[in-house]
Amino acid sequence: MATQLDPVDVVTVGAGWTGSIVAKELAEDGNQVVSLERGGERSPQDYLTMHNELRYALRYELMQDLSKGTVTFRNTPDEEALPMRRLGSFLLGKGVGGAGVHWNGQTWRFLPYDFQIRSKTIDRYGRDKIPEDMLLQDWGITYDELRPYYLEFEKLCGISGTAGNLDGEIRDTGNPFEGPRAEDYPTPPMKTTPPLERFMDASADLGYHPFMSPSANLSEAYTNPDGVSRGACQYCGYCERFGCEWGAKADPTVTALPVAKETGNFELRTQADVRRLLYDAREGRVRGVQYVDTVTGEEYVQPAETVALTAYVLHNVRLLLLSDIGEPYDPENPQDSGNVGKNYCYQNFGGSATGYWDDEQWNLYMGAGALGAAVDDFNGDNFDHTGLDFLHGGNIAITQTGRRPIVNNPVPPGVERNWGSEFKRASVNYFNSSLSISAQGAVLPYADNYLDLDPTYTDEHGDPLLRMTFNWKEQDRKLAEYAGEKCREIMEAMDPDRMSYSDEVIGEGGDYDIRPYQSTHNTGGAVMGPNPDVSVVNSYLQCWDAENLFIPGASAFAHNSGYNPTGTVGALAFRAADGMKQYLQRPRMLD
Ligand SMILES: Cc1cc2nc3c(=O)[nH]c(=O)nc-3n(C[C@H](O)[C@H](O)[C@H](O)COP(=O)(O)OP(=O)(O)OC[C@H]3O[C@@H](n4cnc5c(N)ncnc54)[C@H](O)[C@@H]3O)c2cc1C
Ligand code: SF4
């Protein structure tokens, strides 16, 4: 029998980026907030011995333990899904701060085009441009509506960069394709380095528009509007997959959570694994959540006025399905089915190029998770798609994240991979004298790419695992081909002695492969939209089927853009928090 706890105003399920932002905002507003996080407490003091590639980057010590719970995967609905036994394609977070502790910090705004992708595509190219089985839809929010929330997230973190569009004034030091922004970035861009300069010079020579990538690794000391001060990045190179011992990388434990704690209205309850949201279908509300204390095994019910489901894309969707909230999506009947689980998308890194130099040393052992330069000329609808058989595009970037010695063995074409003395010699030789660029391609939703509950496999509590059905489509293959050619062109202009390039999606035979790391940019499954016929949440991330439930996170993305997701995830979390405040003042469906 579960122990009943005293009710609170707000519960967040998870304390990653989204949970922490909601907790801070609602606690500051005077509400009693409890964050339930299934992992343990963490802070920068825990990261003093973090520079250990084997332990953290290869054995995934900060991440989800798949022996207790995982996802099952198949490429197509007619296959049997099998559990992912080892982290690979994506690296799920666990513990206070979530994946926001071990992320890189590349922090983008999506393009205005993204939020109205369906209408803008039809306006420019006609309805026939959208394939029948592509479930492309507008998001039910515009870039202009989301703009103030982007700014809040950027100020919380102190994002480093240069504006390319300052309220309509196009500036060639930034990204000229971005949507207008009211203010410049809170801190200037990070340092340029010889590899980044080589990329920027080459792409400018080709007539493209390079700029320094926006970064949550602070370029200089910064105090945010909440009064939280953090020091500048040391370019230590142990950033992606590691926590930052300097607190220079914005993560929830050094930004939102300390402020929530200061209010006196916030309790962070760790080792609390939420199994169900308690749903009253007749009332169209949730009463709270049920969770298990993973240390004692005891079950608790935490009643709440409002619940924020902030457990990451895959767990958000799974908890909705386990709690019978909303209608599950049915791929057999996409137009008339429910929406929970639909529009699952990912990120397409198929286009890339690597150059090898005989006489250059690039000092790649230094770097930072978001140190990079990019061009956006081939992203979104920034170029004409007439005559092209794909939509959208991708951001093309070079990053200098810090080359780790175990995993990085760059060898030029012609050298036998992963084996023998020639391989070893070449790997040592080119470790510091090769550079890669890649396109981060958008992925658009298709009827048979979706999430549901697995009929066979369960987690440690006996609850069904989430099942992922996903494969690349012709759209993805054509996009990779196009982006790969652009990467090749830019790399050639960077003048290496040798080069290789890829213009194929990642995976054998053109099928998505869940084993090699690609990105933790899973999106969709509880998408936002203008009405309940096509979406799970409205523009405040408020659930159509449970008005006191808000579901921020990339689960709300109706498709995935050609950028990393967390800038938009953070903005949507601020938007959801705004909605929750309004709701607590006067309970209703918001519009
Ligand atoms: C290696 C890596 C690099 C990345 N780099 C970038 C980047 O450069 N730029 C970018 O934009 N994005 C990047 N990301 C993605 C980014 O980390 C995520 O978009 C972001 O962390 C999502 O925030 P979230 O709050 O939705 O989920 P999370 O950060 O994953 O937080 C969810 C939390 O909920 C908890 N939780 C889950 N289920 C339950 C449950 N049942 N009960 C209680 N708690 C639960 C989890 O333990 C976790 O702490 C990267 C991710 C990884 C792994
Ligand atoms: S590279 Fe910079 S932000 Fe990243 S972990 Fe090192 S000091 Fe921190």
Side-chain angles (χ1 to χ4, degrees):
M1 184 74 178
T3 305
Q4 294 282 326
L5 301 170
D6 290 340
V8 294
D9 299 315
V10 179
V11 157
T12 79
V13 182
W17 264 128
T18 51
S20 304
I21 289 169
V22 168
K24 170 184 110 64
E25 288 291 294
L26 273 292
E28 282 186 310
D29 201 43
N31 301 290
Q32 289 302 317
V33 182
V34 168
S35 283
L36 299 171
E37 166 57 50
R38 66 182 173 173
E41 178 66 285
R42 299 189 293 201
S43 71
Q45 283 97 319
D46 300 318
Y47 307 142
L48 294 177
T49 56
M50 186 69 17
H51 293 202
N52 183 330
E53 182 184 3
L54 189 60
R55 193 164 155 191
Y56 296 102
L58 293 165
R59 294 189 176 152
Y60 311 122
E61 205 165 296
L62 297 177
M63 302 168 203
Q64 182 169 324
D65 176 356
L66 298 192
S67 70
K68 298 188 186 304
T70 181
V71 294
T72 67
F73 166 72
R74 58 187 181 172
N75 280 124
T76 57
D78 54 6
E79 290 175 358
E80 187 189 343
L82 293 172
M84 181 189 196
R85 300 278 188 201
R86 192 167 194 276
L87 286 166
S89 174
F90 42 86
L91 303 175
L92 302 171
K94 182 175 177 182
V96 174
V101 165
H102 61 260
W103 74 320
N104 289 48
Q106 298 166 20
T107 311
W108 299 90
R109 295 183 180 194
F110 284 6
L111 295 162
Y113 159 79
D114 279 307
F115 301 100
Q116 294 165 291
I117 187 167
R118 184 175 176 83
S119 352
K120 283 184 185 284
T121 301
I122 292 172
D123 282 355
R124 187 165 177 189
Y125 305 106
R127 195 171 288 271
D128 290 348
K129 189 78 176 171
I130 304 174
E132 236 171 56
D133 56 346
M134 184 190 278
L135 305 182
L136 205 61
Q137 66 185 59
D138 292 351
W139 288 38
I141 194 166
T142 61
Y143 171 79
D144 281 342
E145 286 167 313
L146 203 51
R147 226 169 112 167
Y149 303 104
Y150 271 123
L151 190 60
E152 281 192 88
F153 184 60
E154 288 163 359
K155 285 188 170 177
L156 176 80
C157 300
I159 301 303
S160 305
T162 319
N165 180 343
L166 205 50
D167 254 335
E169 181 207 329
I170 303 299
R171 304 189 331 165
D172 60 9
T173 45
N175 176 9
F177 298 102
E178 70 177 353
R181 46 176 75 239
E183 297 174 24
D184 209 334
Y185 285 89
T187 54
M190 299 189 78
K191 289 180 195 300
T192 54
T193 62
L196 272 45
E197 279 162 13
R198 182 69 71 104
F199 169 86
M200 290 202 278
D201 289 346
S203 36
D205 285 349
L206 290 166
Y208 307 145
H209 301 84
F211 57 94
M212 287 293 289
S213 302
S215 162
N217 319 134
L218 280 179
S219 62
E220 63 182 26
Y222 173 69
T223 302
N224 78 10
D226 295 320
V228 176
S229 297
R230 294 161 36 233
C233 172
Q234 308 296 308
Y235 300 85
C236 78
Y238 282 78
C239 203
E240 176 192 308
R241 305 190 185 197
F242 306 90
C244 175
E245 74 266 39
W246 298 90
K249 173 166 68 174
D251 86 38
T253 72
V254 294
T255 54
L257 286 171
V259 181
K261 287 176 182 168
E262 275 290 296
T263 63
N265 297 328
F266 172 64
E267 185 192 343
L268 176 59
R269 225 173 275 161
T270 54
Q271 312 295 353
D273 194 353
V274 174
R275 292 184 61 190
R276 295 285 185 284
L277 277 61
L278 303 170
Y279 180 49
D280 185 334
R282 211 165 38 85
E283 296 266 318
R285 289 171 56 81
V286 286
R287 288 187 287 109
V289 303
Q290 178 160 358
Y291 71 91
V292 58
D293 181 320
T294 58
V295 178
T296 63
E298 279 179 53
E299 295 263 353
Y300 293 89
V301 166
Q302 176 61 69
E305 278 301 303
T306 54
V307 173
L309 185 48
T310 55
Y312 190 67
V313 179
L314 305 179
H315 312 302
N316 285 355
V317 176
R318 177 169 179 255
L319 279 168
L320 285 175
L321 292 167
L322 286 174
S323 311
D324 285 328
I325 301 174
E327 278 291 305
Y329 170 69
D330 174 8
E332 297 289 322
N333 190 12
Q335 300 307 337
D336 297 317
S337 84
N339 294 310
V340 181
K342 85 164 185 177
N343 286 32
Y344 173 71
C345 294
Y346 192 47
Q347 198 92 70
N348 178 359
F349 279 96
S352 63
T354 301
Y356 304 84
W357 281 262
D358 291 335
D359 299 314
E360 295 277 5
Q361 294 292 316
W362 297 112
N363 293 354
L364 300 171
Y365 44 83
M366 293 194 74
L371 177 63
V375 294
D376 232 3
D377 298 65
F378 306 104
N379 204 353
D381 204 26
N382 299 341
F383 57 109
D384 188 3
H385 288 70
T386 310
L388 297 175
D389 34 19
F390 65 91
L391 288 168
H392 215 299
N395 174 274
I396 294 178
I398 183 167
T399 51
Q400 187 170 345
T401 57
R403 198 161 261 190
R404 298 188 298 262
I406 301 176
V407 87
N408 283 293
N409 295 287
V411 292
V415 176
E416 189 66 40
R417 290 218 159 248
N418 301 333
W419 181 249
S421 53
E422 194 193 357
F423 164 74
K424 283 188 196 156
R425 225 180 355 262
S427 160
V428 170
N429 196 33
Y430 288 107
F431 178 78
N432 197 32
S433 53
S434 60
L435 299 175
S436 293
I437 59 179
S438 63
Q440 174 154 228
V443 171
L444 305 181
Y446 279 84
D448 57 356
N449 284 339
Y450 66 103
L451 304 171
D452 66 356
L453 289 179
D454 192 277
T456 310
Y457 295 96
T458 58
D459 71 3
E460 59 175 333
H461 309 302
D463 294 326
L465 295 180
L466 189 77
R467 177 169 65 178
M468 175 187 291
T469 306
F470 180 77
N471 209 353
W472 304 122
K473 303 290 179 186
E474 272 313 284
Q475 150 78 27
D476 304 302
R477 298 191 184 96
K478 296 290 180 194
L479 194 157
E481 223 172 276
Y482 186 85
E485 174 53 28
K486 296 297 170 195
C487 290
R488 189 199 59 74
E489 183 194 28
I490 296 173
M491 182 51 77
E492 208 164 74
M494 288 168 70
D495 199 23
D497 294 300
R498 257 152 290 177
M499 64 174 281
S500 59
Y501 81 104
S502 155
D503 62 358
E504 290 174 6
V505 287
I506 298 176
E508 270 170 42
D511 290 327
Y512 167 69
D513 185 342
I514 202 165
R515 292 168 300 172
Y517 185 70
Q518 294 166 58
S519 77
T520 312
H521 302 171
N522 317 81
T523 66
V527 303
M528 53 199 297
N531 62 61
D533 294 340
V534 294
S535 55
V536 176
V537 294
N538 68 13
S539 80
Y540 283 96
L541 295 303
Q542 182 182 24
C543 182
W544 296 111
D545 288 290
E547 64 170 37
N548 61 340
L549 171 64
F550 292 73
I551 316 174
S555 47
F557 291 10
H559 69 273
N560 199 10
S561 182
Y563 300 109
N564 312 62
T566 309
T568 303
V569 167
L572 290 176
F574 273 102
R575 169 92 177 168
D578 193 4
M580 291 175 80
K581 287 181 212 169
Q582 294 182 43
Y583 181 83
L584 281 162
Q585 273 175 7
R586 188 161 66 84
R588 66 204 187 279
M589 275 317 283
L590 304 166
D591 50 31

